[in-house]
Amino acid sequence: MFLGRRYELSQLQHLYDLKNFQLFILYGLRRVGKTSLLKEFCKDKNNIFFSAELSSNKYNLEKCI
């Protein structure tokens, strides 16, 4: 279940509706729901969702395949 974050979801939707390239950087403290917010926003859209880990480039690239 996803609760709250309506303002953040509306801001993401606004950027998405612009139909041109937008860079959106999401940062914050651990365990506050950043990944859940993005997954909720992406659930009804075509998307590629990749979450890198603080690791080597090689590991992160291998994780994609």
Side-chain angles (χ1 to χ4, degrees), residues 11-23:
Q11 291 297 104
L12 287 170
Q13 188 64 49
H14 171 74
L15 292 173
Y16 182 80
D17 290 340
L18 292 176
K19 302 294 184 197
N20 58 0
F21 178 79
Q22 299 293 319
L23 173 63

Side-chain angles (χ1 to χ4, degrees), residues 1-30:
M1 182 183 338
F2 185 83
L3 300 172
R5 298 290 189 109
R6 291 181 188 181
Y7 175 76
E8 290 89 343
L9 286 171
S10 71
Q11 291 297 104
L12 287 170
Q13 188 64 49
H14 171 74
L15 292 173
Y16 182 80
D17 290 340
L18 292 176
K19 302 294 184 197
N20 58 0
F21 178 79
Q22 299 293 319
L23 173 63
F24 176 77
I25 299 172
L26 180 62
Y27 65 94
L29 297 174
R30 294 178 59 204

